[in-house]
Amino acid sequence: MTRHDGREVDQLRPVNIEKNYLMHPEGSVLIKVGNTKVICTATIEDRVPGFLRGQGKGWITAEYSMLPRATAERTQRDSSRGKVNGRTMEIQRLIGRALRAIVDLEALGEKTVWIDCDVIQADGGTRTASITGAFVALTIAIAKIHEIKPFAKFPIVDFLAATSVGIIDELGPILDLNYVEDVAAAVDMNLVMTGAGRFVEIQGTGEEATFSRDELNTLLDLGEKGISELIAIQKEVLGEAANLVGSLKEEA
Amino acid sequence: MTRHDGREVDQLRPVNIEKNYLMHPEGSVLIKVGNTKVICTATIEDRVPGFLRGQGKGWITAEYSMLPRATAERTQRDSSRGKVNGRTMEIQRLIGRALRAIVDLEALGEKTVWIDCDVIQADGGTRTASITGAFVALTIAIAKIHEIKPFAKFPIVDFLAATSVGIIDELGPILDLNYVEDVAAAVDMNLVMTGAGRFVEIQGTGEEATFSRDELNTLLDLGEKGISELIAIQKEVLGEAANLVGSLKEEA
Amino acid sequence: MTRHDGREVDQLRPVNIEKNYLMHPEGSVLIKVGNTKVICTATIEDRVPGFLRGQGKGWITAEYSMLPRATAERTQRDSSRGKVNGRTMEIQRLIGRALRAIVDLEALGEKTVWIDCDVIQADGGTRTASITGAFVALTIAIAKIHEIKPFAKFPIVDFLAATSVGIIDELGPILDLNYVEDVAAAVDMNLVMTGAGRFVEIQGTGEEATFSRDELNTLLDLGEKGISELIAIQKEVLGEAANLVGSLKEEA
Amino acid sequence: MTRHDGREVDQLRPVNIEKNYLMHPEGSVLIKVGNTKVICTATIEDRVPGFLRGQGKGWITAEYSMLPRATAERTQRDSSRGKVNGRTMEIQRLIGRALRAIVDLEALGEKTVWIDCDVIQADGGTRTASITGAFVALTIAIAKIHEIKPFAKFPIVDFLAATSVGIIDELGPILDLNYVEDVAAAVDMNLVMTGAGRFVEIQGTGEEATFSRDELNTLLDLGEKGISELIAIQKEVLGEAANLVGSLKEEA
Amino acid sequence: MTRHDGREVDQLRPVNIEKNYLMHPEGSVLIKVGNTKVICTATIEDRVPGFLRGQGKGWITAEYSMLPRATAERTQRDSSRGKVNGRTMEIQRLIGRALRAIVDLEALGEKTVWIDCDVIQADGGTRTASITGAFVALTIAIAKIHEIKPFAKFPIVDFLAATSVGIIDELGPILDLNYVEDVAAAVDMNLVMTGAGRFVEIQGTGEEATFSRDELNTLLDLGEKGISELIAIQKEVLGEAANLVGSLKEEA
Amino acid sequence: MTRHDGREVDQLRPVNIEKNYLMHPEGSVLIKVGNTKVICTATIEDRVPGFLRGQGKGWITAEYSMLPRATAERTQRDSSRGKVNGRTMEIQRLIGRALRAIVDLEALGEKTVWIDCDVIQADGGTRTASITGAFVALTIAIAKIHEIKPFAKFPIVDFLAATSVGIIDELGPILDLNYVEDVAAAVDMNLVMTGAGRFVEIQGTGEEATFSRDELNTLLDLGEKGISELIAIQKEVLGEAANLVGSLKEEA
């Protein structure tokens, strides 16, 4: 049995990352993962939040939102409801935490990076596409600063990408769920991993269901495969800037 | 003396309207007016707000927002601040009111149209670009319904577009201000007009300044010219659907 | 055909402005325009908002509200709803902007003037009555400071008043609409003008209707007439203080 | 030693109640107690809140607010702060509770009365002036309905008025504190009583101070005197309508 | 006729105060008054709110809340409703004010004490139990500081406890109402008194009812009796620390 | 090297679950895991939220909160800040989702279960203690209904408990982190598992760190051990009611 869009169970959707999508931000991309489209931007501010002041460390924080008609049914804006909903909060906390795991905040110095991920069109996997795209926007922004005034150590120490895996009754474990698959899935898992193949986040959830240790292992295998492919795409898109990741300033 | 981007005082920026930009909404466009880019969508819902129930009339309401990095400096999200700011409210009220002026709400029947205008990139004139784009998204959405179950009278009775005009000390009155011009302007005026050349909205404001009746007349002339050019572009983009505007169902 | 209250089409309602209506504020009036009654106060604070600090300039900001039973039906308080509604925001932004157009903010120095307009009884034209009354309250407050410590240049450089004009199908263009006329009007326009006859704000709106350039011109003529009459009343009420408007400190 | 405004310790400030102060509400007064001025209105709605539906009983609820410049220093609006402050809540709960004590809610039937007390000018005792004024506005409103369609039992069963008493170190116990006295008072007590001389509310508070049983008794004596004088004024203002209070429909 | 739980009309419910109930706060108790259980904590912060800065005085502020299932029906959390309700506000203002009456804020110095009263289980009298318990938590916290760095004058100058009294039609005046009695009461009064037998707060309310001066006196007698018993319990629980209340530092 | 509290790396803290801790809720416990103390209650309501109405299915929803002084530093109440913070939202979504995984919502029928977890004292692991305790409160509440009117199938189909595991640089992987360990941990993982040893949730996070697949496996082994011990405790506490979990109604 094959997936409704013809993919193999271990196949990502087509991924496209357009660099410098917007004119104003220091770093920006439009990432497309199948029909999911997210604008990711990175804004660098020369100060840190109160709890970090005077420690010589930077900070990375993220916000996430969807256009009302990113979805099949119109979604009410958070601003109209007067508060950010729980799902949005979870996602923006996840994005920020994931990026902080591959950034050396001391090397960054007393700067805040604001990551904004705005979903233009949603077809499943918006949070993982946001992380994968945000990594590129962040690297572009940091590289832009680095060009002007090089860091002793480039603050981004490894690559980072994310994808989803899940279990559907008829198909078993699959990679990179679109919306229809996401709704059908009994188990849903988001994975964030580094270029070195290490885990940053595992968020696996039974949706009124449970899963065994064996099933977990199959899901992790699928995720590792997908994320290594995503990181290959990030490197291609970043071009020369990719070499800065994990680098130290060359001595003369 | 010429404008900093080389335009004549009575010249619009390049305008591009991409139809069906998103997969989910009934009607959607990406409108570009120079560097200003707005996604406009129209969502049709089969019911009306409480105050209109049972009157056989429809309603059109609009929401407007900017991505945080649509602007040169990052703007805080309304949802983070927990309330919609005054400027946003004014703009979304304006968009809704303007569209209602060229829609026959009785002909529409008990439906609500939600217009969403999300500014992806801002370089002045976001509210007028929103109106010009929203008109196209609305027409596409209504035409889609009309195709399935034709209206006795097509609810959109005339074209509608908007532009800005203003007075800059060194240049005098000019058409279609970009952001740099907007900041410099002593007088700023938004005009919304119909295909028949009638006014829907005039919002002229002295920014710590005032203007004479003569200056007003020059501004109105500039605006009329710009809007007729915008409507020509809308017609081209809409293609056949343009003929539905103002039409009655043909009798057999 | 005459108006339901017997006025000519170009006739204002009876206007009365009671000075120093309240004991606490630096400037205060109760303005009555027909049955519309608004308490306008001006409060002067010796500091400016953050965005102006250290620039040697002042600021004027306005708040507007209606008592719940200013209207025929009880209106819910903004404080009960937990947010300021869109109409209120538009009006308070308009009042502040209008007053700033006739105040030399450099001459004012680093002061903030808070204008509060509270509608006690509403019968149409509450925002224009607010502006007309607020001008008088502002002038009284500034004159009070001037008396103690004269400004080199009196910060209020011209008179300012506002009225509404509109088009009713059976009557055509009329001046100073009361509530019944406002509801019936196809076109509704608020005008704010100076003592020198220059425009500060034009806000003309078709209410599910449109208007021609000729109709616009007739409306502007009516508005100019009404505003010059309102300014005459302001001068009378202000008495000697009226002479300060637009004046420089006399050299010895 | 006498009070700074020359009053005896057991003397009320001059009280004036202007009936039908506003054109729209069913009942309205402007009450002045010295320099304290409050607009009180009563609005009658033909339904009850959810928790009372279908029980054949009515409800009375109150809202209280101050104009920003009712006070010597400008007070921020609740609507700007986005929430009602604690003091306001206490006062509006008190006003509603007090009025319900002298209304037979069964006799009222399934109606809600909204009481709005808006302080135009504050000089101490705004909550007690609100209760005294609200009683008159309520009686006018109920009498208006009674005239059209008489109640079997007039729902207002007794008169109701309120005043404050307090202890100032230099003066001892005094009646009807103005703002200066209120600030100086070590003990502050609000009393609400009926025409029959019974208590509805006693709210006595030591302000970083305490009071003895004897002092309490003196305060209660002063309060009883003041309230009986206030009720005499209410009767005079209400004229014939005063006779309805506590009455039954006359049998034919 | 006896009370439904077998108590005499002038009898308190069993009272138990468990000291140092929580490990983190400077002072904490679990107070049980019959089935009413409240956790009271005192937190001392080394600074004061803005309005007191630089005056050498301290401040005491209180917050009060109920667990959703402290009550027979689940109560919605204030945080879910997005605002603190009126009853909660009244209670927390009362608790703070009551404690400030027996604290010498100058002797306390520039410190803020946060009192938190969280009702775990409610069976009437939660606000009075909160005050009685909070006094003990406060004394423990202040005594802890005093041990390390003795105050010249111990800031707590007298004991403080609270109880409720009320009138039930069938029973007449009674002491310490439980929930069933509270619902049935025509008159409900909360009393806060000191160790010296002086009043801090009297809040007596007719619930759609009124009361006479004689009834008031009986209620006050009952309250005095109950409060003196509660203070005896507080002294026992506090042990040696009880001797600090009202004491000066011993001279060497 | 041993843990600072003397535990082995694979050892839980002492766990105590007190049944029927509160008098009002259908099900309630006080769970203690070391110094962490949480009151968990289950409230059953005979209706479902709008999105489930008429489907014959039930719903389980959870709320989570901490007393301000559950923590070493006082935490501001969500209700004072006017919104629920992101961490709280994540936790309450997790609790609800976890419980729904072992409840047959069709068997439950059109009922909503409200789970409230209120942390009285926090020392790490509050969310996992909440889940472990909430399971017991839920089972008690459902069993109480079952006793009165037996379900055809007991809606709780398996046991459910949760614990945390993590990696500390000096210690390597450990089970059941207290607060000090939690702060020190480079990797932090919450596990929710069933009586059958299946996963419901895995939430593993590198805190500015990453982890390998091998480390993940060790963490999962530790978690499985801890959860089986917790479930043994739950069974003992539940007594006879434990037999209902996963049972069908016996046929006659």
Side-chain angles (χ1 to χ4, degrees):
Chain A
M1 183 176 180
T2 57
R3 294 164 81 170
H4 78 101
D5 61 0
R7 278 188 289 154
E8 301 299 317
V9 292
D10 66 348
Q11 193 181 346
L12 290 176
R13 290 175 284 177
V15 175
N16 182 280
I17 302 175
E18 181 179 342
K19 267 197 304 193
N20 301 323
Y21 182 67
L22 297 181
M23 68 190 267
H24 295 302
E26 288 83 77
S28 69
V29 306
L30 171 64
I31 182 169
K32 299 180 192 169
V33 177
N35 285 320
T36 290
K37 300 183 189 178
V38 188
I39 297 176
C40 305
T41 68
T43 301
I44 299 178
E45 196 186 10
D46 257 330
R47 52 172 199 165
V48 286
F51 69 92
L52 279 181
R53 220 154 281 160
Q55 300 184 26
K57 288 182 59 174
W59 190 244
I60 299 176
T61 190
E63 297 197 354
Y64 165 97
S65 190
M66 289 216 270
L67 296 203
R69 281 314 299 276
T71 47
E73 303 279 307
R74 187 176 184 278
T75 316
Q76 199 188 358
R77 289 172 196 268
D78 281 341
S79 56
S80 303
R81 292 185 307 116
K83 58 176 178 180
V84 176
N85 72 36
R87 178 186 170 275
T88 296
M89 282 215 183
E90 267 187 39
I91 294 175
Q92 52 200 24
R93 283 160 58 90
L94 168 63
I95 299 170
R97 207 165 54 220
L99 292 170
R100 289 195 297 272
I102 48 82
V103 170
D104 182 329
L105 297 171
E106 275 84 8
L108 180 60
E110 293 217 345
K111 290 178 174 60
T112 299
V113 186
W114 294 84
I115 299 294
D116 286 289
C117 298
D118 284 88
V119 179
I120 298 305
Q121 190 166 279
D123 188 31
T126 61
R127 82 185 69 185
T128 52
S130 293
I131 290 169
T132 305
F135 175 81
V136 179
L138 173 67
T139 305
I140 292 169
I142 300 285
K144 204 168 282 176
I145 291 182
H146 184 69
E147 209 167 307
I148 297 161
K149 190 176 162 209
F151 291 96
K153 177 186 177 185
F154 193 74
I156 303 177
V157 298
D158 201 349
F159 283 82
L160 183 90
T163 195
S164 71
V165 289
I167 301 176
I168 293 187
D169 285 351
E170 306 79 34
L171 290 167
I174 55 173
L175 173 64
D176 187 21
L177 287 68
N178 64 23
Y179 182 72
V180 170
E181 292 170 337
D182 195 40
V183 168
V187 177
D188 181 20
M189 183 174 291
N190 293 300
L191 290 172
V192 186
M193 295 181 73
T194 66
R198 292 176 66 85
F199 294 101
V200 172
E201 284 272 343
I202 300 180
Q203 295 195 336
T205 299
E207 303 285 346
E208 303 175 17
T210 60
F211 53 104
S212 70
R213 184 86 176 248
D214 279 353
E215 287 168 330
L216 170 61
N217 279 317
T218 310
L219 291 171
L220 296 174
D221 293 341
L222 284 172
E224 284 183 16
K225 173 178 179 295
I227 285 172
S228 68
E229 292 172 17
L230 289 166
I231 288 176
I233 293 167
Q234 288 175 331
K235 286 183 177 167
E236 202 183 299
V237 169
L238 281 168
E240 292 224 345
N243 300 325
L244 292 169
V245 173
S247 71
L248 300 180
K249 186 159 75 172
E250 288 158 59
E251 318 291 306
Chain B
M1 183 174 179
T2 57
R3 295 163 81 169
H4 77 103
D5 61 359
R7 280 189 288 153
E8 301 299 317
V9 293
D10 67 348
Q11 193 182 344
L12 290 176
R13 289 175 286 177
V15 176
N16 182 279
I17 302 175
E18 181 179 342
K19 267 196 306 193
N20 302 323
Y21 181 67
L22 297 180
M23 67 190 267
H24 295 303
E26 288 83 77
S28 68
V29 306
L30 172 63
I31 182 168
K32 299 181 193 169
V33 177
N35 285 320
T36 291
K37 299 183 190 179
V38 188
I39 297 176
C40 305
T41 67
T43 300
I44 299 178
E45 195 186 12
D46 257 330
R47 52 175 199 162
V48 286
F51 69 92
L52 278 182
R53 219 152 283 161
Q55 300 184 28
K57 288 183 58 173
W59 189 244
I60 298 176
T61 189
E63 296 196 355
Y64 165 97
S65 190
M66 288 216 270
L67 296 203
R69 281 315 298 277
T71 48
E73 301 281 307
R74 186 175 184 277
T75 316
Q76 200 188 359
R77 290 173 195 268
D78 281 341
S79 55
S80 303
R81 294 185 306 115
K83 59 178 179 179
V84 176
N85 73 36
R87 178 186 170 275
T88 296
M89 280 214 183
E90 266 187 41
I91 294 175
Q92 51 199 23
R93 284 161 57 90
L94 168 63
I95 299 170
R97 207 164 57 219
L99 291 171
R100 289 195 297 272
I102 48 82
V103 169
D104 181 329
L105 296 171
E106 274 86 5
L108 179 60
E110 293 216 346
K111 289 178 176 58
T112 299
V113 185
W114 293 83
I115 299 294
D116 286 289
C117 297
D118 285 88
V119 179
I120 298 305
Q121 189 167 278
D123 188 32
T126 63
R127 80 186 70 187
T128 51
S130 293
I131 291 169
T132 304
F135 175 81
V136 178
L138 173 66
T139 305
I140 293 169
I142 300 284
K144 204 168 282 176
I145 291 181
H146 184 69
E147 209 168 307
I148 297 160
K149 188 173 165 213
F151 291 96
K153 178 184 176 184
F154 193 74
I156 304 176
V157 299
D158 201 347
F159 283 82
L160 183 90
T163 195
S164 70
V165 291
I167 301 177
I168 293 187
D169 285 351
E170 306 79 36
L171 291 167
I174 56 173
L175 173 64
D176 188 20
L177 286 68
N178 62 23
Y179 182 72
V180 170
E181 292 170 337
D182 195 40
V183 168
V187 177
D188 181 21
M189 183 173 291
N190 293 300
L191 289 172
V192 186
M193 296 182 73
T194 66
R198 293 176 65 87
F199 293 101
V200 171
E201 284 273 345
I202 300 180
Q203 294 196 337
T205 300
E207 304 284 348
E208 302 174 19
T210 60
F211 53 102
S212 70
R213 183 88 175 246
D214 279 353
E215 287 168 329
L216 171 61
N217 279 318
T218 310
L219 291 172
L220 296 174
D221 293 342
L222 283 172
E224 284 183 16
K225 173 178 178 295
I227 285 172
S228 68
E229 291 171 18
L230 288 166
I231 288 175
I233 294 167
Q234 288 175 332
K235 287 183 177 166
E236 203 182 298
V237 169
L238 280 168
E240 291 224 346
N243 299 325
L244 292 169
V245 173
S247 70
L248 299 180
K249 185 158 78 174
E250 289 157 59
E251 321 290 306
Chain C
M1 184 174 179
T2 57
R3 295 164 81 170
H4 77 103
D5 61 0
R7 279 188 289 155
E8 300 300 316
V9 292
D10 66 349
Q11 194 181 344
L12 290 176
R13 290 175 285 178
V15 176
N16 182 280
I17 302 176
E18 180 179 343
K19 265 197 307 192
N20 302 324
Y21 181 67
L22 298 180
M23 68 190 265
H24 295 302
E26 288 84 78
S28 69
V29 306
L30 171 64
I31 182 169
K32 299 182 192 168
V33 177
N35 285 321
T36 290
K37 300 183 189 179
V38 188
I39 297 176
C40 305
T41 67
T43 300
I44 299 179
E45 195 186 11
D46 255 330
R47 53 174 199 163
V48 286
F51 69 91
L52 277 182
R53 220 153 281 161
Q55 300 183 29
K57 289 181 58 172
W59 189 243
I60 298 175
T61 190
E63 297 197 354
Y64 165 96
S65 190
M66 289 214 271
L67 296 202
R69 282 315 299 278
T71 47
E73 303 280 306
R74 187 177 183 275
T75 315
Q76 199 188 358
R77 289 172 196 268
D78 281 341
S79 56
S80 303
R81 292 185 308 115
K83 57 177 180 180
V84 176
N85 73 36
R87 178 184 171 277
T88 297
M89 281 218 183
E90 267 186 39
I91 294 174
Q92 51 200 27
R93 284 160 57 88
L94 169 64
I95 299 170
R97 208 164 53 222
L99 291 170
R100 289 194 298 272
I102 48 81
V103 169
D104 182 328
L105 297 171
E106 274 86 7
L108 179 60
E110 294 217 346
K111 290 178 175 58
T112 299
V113 185
W114 293 82
I115 298 295
D116 286 289
C117 298
D118 285 88
V119 179
I120 298 305
Q121 189 166 279
D123 188 30
T126 62
R127 82 185 69 187
T128 51
S130 293
I131 291 169
T132 304
F135 175 81
V136 179
L138 173 66
T139 305
I140 293 169
I142 300 284
K144 203 168 283 177
I145 291 182
H146 184 70
E147 208 167 309
I148 297 160
K149 190 178 163 208
F151 292 96
K153 177 185 177 184
F154 194 75
I156 304 178
V157 298
D158 202 349
F159 284 82
L160 183 90
T163 195
S164 71
V165 290
I167 301 177
I168 292 187
D169 286 351
E170 307 78 38
L171 291 168
I174 56 174
L175 173 64
D176 187 20
L177 287 68
N178 63 23
Y179 182 71
V180 170
E181 292 170 337
D182 195 40
V183 168
V187 178
D188 181 20
M189 183 173 290
N190 293 300
L191 289 171
V192 186
M193 295 181 74
T194 67
R198 292 176 66 86
F199 293 101
V200 171
E201 285 272 345
I202 301 181
Q203 295 196 336
T205 299
E207 304 284 348
E208 302 175 18
T210 61
F211 53 103
S212 69
R213 182 86 176 248
D214 279 353
E215 287 169 329
L216 170 61
N217 279 317
T218 310
L219 291 172
L220 296 174
D221 292 342
L222 283 172
E224 284 183 17
K225 172 179 181 295
I227 286 171
S228 67
E229 292 172 17
L230 289 166
I231 288 175
I233 294 167
Q234 288 175 332
K235 287 183 178 167
E236 202 183 297
V237 170
L238 281 167
E240 292 225 346
N243 299 326
L244 291 168
V245 174
S247 70
L248 298 180
K249 185 159 74 172
E250 287 158 63
E251 319 292 305
Chain D
M1 185 175 177
T2 57
R3 295 164 81 170
H4 76 103
D5 60 0
R7 278 187 290 154
E8 301 298 317
V9 293
D10 67 348
Q11 193 181 344
L12 291 176
R13 290 176 284 177
V15 176
N16 181 280
I17 302 175
E18 180 180 344
K19 266 197 305 191
N20 302 323
Y21 182 66
L22 297 180
M23 68 190 265
H24 295 302
E26 288 83 77
S28 68
V29 306
L30 171 64
I31 182 168
K32 299 182 192 167
V33 177
N35 284 321
T36 290
K37 300 182 189 179
V38 187
I39 297 176
C40 306
T41 68
T43 300
I44 299 178
E45 197 186 10
D46 255 331
R47 52 174 199 162
V48 286
F51 69 91
L52 277 183
R53 219 153 281 159
Q55 299 183 28
K57 288 180 58 173
W59 189 243
I60 298 176
T61 190
E63 296 197 353
Y64 166 97
S65 189
M66 289 215 270
L67 295 203
R69 281 315 300 277
T71 48
E73 301 282 306
R74 186 177 184 275
T75 315
Q76 199 188 358
R77 290 172 194 268
D78 281 341
S79 56
S80 303
R81 293 183 309 114
K83 57 177 181 180
V84 176
N85 72 36
R87 178 185 170 275
T88 297
M89 281 216 183
E90 268 186 39
I91 295 175
Q92 50 200 25
R93 284 160 57 89
L94 168 63
I95 299 170
R97 207 164 55 221
L99 291 170
R100 289 195 297 272
I102 48 82
V103 170
D104 181 329
L105 297 171
E106 274 86 7
L108 180 59
E110 294 216 346
K111 289 179 176 58
T112 299
V113 185
W114 293 84
I115 298 295
D116 286 289
C117 298
D118 285 88
V119 179
I120 298 305
Q121 190 167 279
D123 188 31
T126 62
R127 80 186 69 188
T128 51
S130 294
I131 291 169
T132 305
F135 174 82
V136 179
L138 173 67
T139 305
I140 293 170
I142 300 285
K144 204 169 283 176
I145 291 181
H146 184 70
E147 207 167 308
I148 297 160
K149 190 175 163 212
F151 291 96
K153 176 185 177 185
F154 193 74
I156 305 176
V157 298
D158 201 349
F159 283 82
L160 183 89
T163 195
S164 70
V165 290
I167 301 177
I168 293 185
D169 284 351
E170 305 79 37
L171 292 167
I174 56 174
L175 172 65
D176 187 21
L177 287 67
N178 64 21
Y179 182 72
V180 170
E181 292 170 337
D182 194 41
V183 167
V187 178
D188 181 20
M189 183 174 291
N190 293 300
L191 290 172
V192 187
M193 295 181 73
T194 67
R198 292 176 66 85
F199 293 102
V200 171
E201 286 272 344
I202 300 180
Q203 295 195 335
T205 299
E207 304 284 347
E208 304 176 16
T210 60
F211 53 103
S212 69
R213 184 88 177 246
D214 279 352
E215 287 168 330
L216 171 60
N217 279 318
T218 311
L219 291 172
L220 296 174
D221 293 342
L222 283 172
E224 284 183 17
K225 172 179 181 294
I227 286 172
S228 69
E229 291 172 17
L230 289 165
I231 288 175
I233 295 167
Q234 289 176 331
K235 287 183 178 167
E236 200 184 300
V237 169
L238 280 168
E240 293 223 346
N243 300 326
L244 292 169
V245 174
S247 69
L248 300 181
K249 187 157 75 174
E250 289 158 60
E251 319 292 305
Chain E
M1 183 173 180
T2 58
R3 294 165 81 170
H4 76 103
D5 61 1
R7 278 189 288 155
E8 301 299 317
V9 292
D10 66 349
Q11 193 181 346
L12 289 177
R13 290 175 285 177
V15 175
N16 181 281
I17 302 176
E18 181 179 343
K19 265 197 305 192
N20 301 323
Y21 181 67
L22 298 180
M23 67 190 265
H24 295 302
E26 288 83 78
S28 68
V29 306
L30 171 64
I31 182 170
K32 299 182 194 168
V33 177
N35 285 319
T36 290
K37 300 182 188 178
V38 188
I39 297 175
C40 306
T41 68
T43 300
I44 299 179
E45 197 186 9
D46 255 330
R47 52 175 200 165
V48 286
F51 70 92
L52 278 182
R53 219 153 282 161
Q55 299 184 27
K57 288 181 58 172
W59 190 243
I60 298 176
T61 189
E63 297 198 353
Y64 165 97
S65 190
M66 289 215 270
L67 296 203
R69 280 316 298 277
T71 47
E73 303 280 306
R74 186 177 184 274
T75 316
Q76 200 188 358
R77 289 172 197 269
D78 281 342
S79 57
S80 303
R81 292 185 307 114
K83 56 177 179 180
V84 177
N85 73 36
R87 177 185 170 276
T88 297
M89 282 215 183
E90 267 186 40
I91 294 174
Q92 51 199 23
R93 284 160 58 88
L94 168 63
I95 299 170
R97 207 164 55 220
L99 291 170
R100 289 194 298 272
I102 49 81
V103 170
D104 181 328
L105 297 171
E106 274 86 7
L108 179 59
E110 294 217 346
K111 290 178 176 57
T112 299
V113 186
W114 293 84
I115 298 296
D116 286 288
C117 298
D118 285 88
V119 180
I120 298 306
Q121 189 166 279
D123 187 32
T126 63
R127 82 185 68 187
T128 51
S130 294
I131 290 168
T132 304
F135 174 81
V136 179
L138 174 67
T139 305
I140 293 169
I142 299 285
K144 204 168 283 176
I145 291 181
H146 184 70
E147 207 167 309
I148 297 161
K149 192 178 161 207
F151 292 96
K153 176 184 179 186
F154 193 75
I156 305 178
V157 299
D158 201 349
F159 284 82
L160 183 89
T163 194
S164 71
V165 291
I167 301 176
I168 293 187
D169 285 352
E170 305 80 35
L171 291 166
I174 56 174
L175 172 64
D176 187 21
L177 287 67
N178 63 23
Y179 182 71
V180 169
E181 291 170 338
D182 194 40
V183 167
V187 177
D188 180 21
M189 182 173 293
N190 293 300
L191 290 172
V192 187
M193 295 182 73
T194 67
R198 292 177 66 86
F199 293 101
V200 172
E201 285 272 344
I202 300 180
Q203 295 196 336
T205 299
E207 304 284 347
E208 303 175 19
T210 60
F211 54 103
S212 70
R213 184 87 175 247
D214 279 352
E215 287 167 328
L216 171 61
N217 279 318
T218 310
L219 291 172
L220 295 174
D221 293 342
L222 283 173
E224 284 182 17
K225 170 178 182 297
I227 285 171
S228 68
E229 291 172 17
L230 289 165
I231 288 175
I233 295 168
Q234 289 175 332
K235 286 184 177 166
E236 201 183 299
V237 169
L238 281 167
E240 292 226 345
N243 299 326
L244 293 168
V245 173
S247 71
L248 297 180
K249 186 159 76 173
E250 288 158 60
E251 318 293 305
Chain F
M1 184 175 181
T2 57
R3 295 164 82 168
H4 77 103
D5 61 359
R7 279 187 289 155
E8 300 299 316
V9 293
D10 67 348
Q11 192 181 347
L12 290 176
R13 290 175 283 178
V15 176
N16 182 280
I17 302 175
E18 180 179 344
K19 267 196 305 191
N20 302 323
Y21 182 66
L22 298 180
M23 67 190 266
H24 295 302
E26 288 84 76
S28 68
V29 307
L30 171 63
I31 181 169
K32 300 182 192 168
V33 178
N35 285 321
T36 290
K37 300 184 190 178
V38 188
I39 297 176
C40 306
T41 67
T43 301
I44 299 178
E45 195 186 12
D46 256 331
R47 52 174 198 163
V48 287
F51 69 92
L52 278 182
R53 218 153 284 159
Q55 299 183 28
K57 288 181 59 173
W59 189 242
I60 298 176
T61 191
E63 297 196 354
Y64 166 97
S65 190
M66 288 215 271
L67 296 203
R69 280 316 298 277
T71 48
E73 302 281 305
R74 185 176 184 277
T75 316
Q76 200 188 359
R77 289 172 195 269
D78 281 341
S79 56
S80 303
R81 294 185 307 115
K83 57 178 178 179
V84 176
N85 73 37
R87 178 184 170 276
T88 297
M89 281 215 183
E90 267 186 39
I91 294 174
Q92 51 200 25
R93 284 160 57 89
L94 168 64
I95 300 170
R97 207 164 55 221
L99 291 171
R100 289 194 297 272
I102 47 83
V103 170
D104 182 329
L105 297 171
E106 274 87 6
L108 180 60
E110 294 216 345
K111 290 179 174 58
T112 298
V113 185
W114 293 84
I115 299 295
D116 286 289
C117 297
D118 285 88
V119 179
I120 297 305
Q121 189 166 278
D123 187 31
T126 61
R127 79 186 70 186
T128 51
S130 293
I131 291 170
T132 304
F135 175 81
V136 179
L138 174 66
T139 305
I140 292 169
I142 300 285
K144 204 168 282 176
I145 291 182
H146 184 70
E147 208 169 308
I148 297 161
K149 188 175 164 211
F151 291 96
K153 177 185 176 185
F154 193 74
I156 303 177
V157 298
D158 202 348
F159 283 82
L160 184 89
T163 195
S164 71
V165 290
I167 301 177
I168 292 187
D169 285 352
E170 306 78 36
L171 291 168
I174 56 173
L175 173 64
D176 187 20
L177 288 66
N178 64 23
Y179 182 71
V180 171
E181 293 170 337
D182 195 41
V183 167
V187 177
D188 181 20
M189 183 173 291
N190 293 299
L191 290 172
V192 186
M193 296 182 73
T194 67
R198 293 176 66 86
F199 293 101
V200 171
E201 285 272 343
I202 300 180
Q203 295 195 336
T205 300
E207 303 285 347
E208 303 176 18
T210 59
F211 53 104
S212 70
R213 183 88 174 247
D214 278 353
E215 288 168 328
L216 171 60
N217 279 317
T218 310
L219 291 172
L220 296 174
D221 292 341
L222 284 173
E224 285 183 16
K225 172 178 181 295
I227 286 172
S228 69
E229 291 172 16
L230 289 166
I231 288 176
I233 295 168
Q234 289 175 331
K235 286 182 178 167
E236 203 183 299
V237 170
L238 281 167
E240 291 223 347
N243 300 325
L244 291 169
V245 173
S247 70
L248 299 180
K249 186 158 77 174
E250 287 159 61
E251 321 292 307

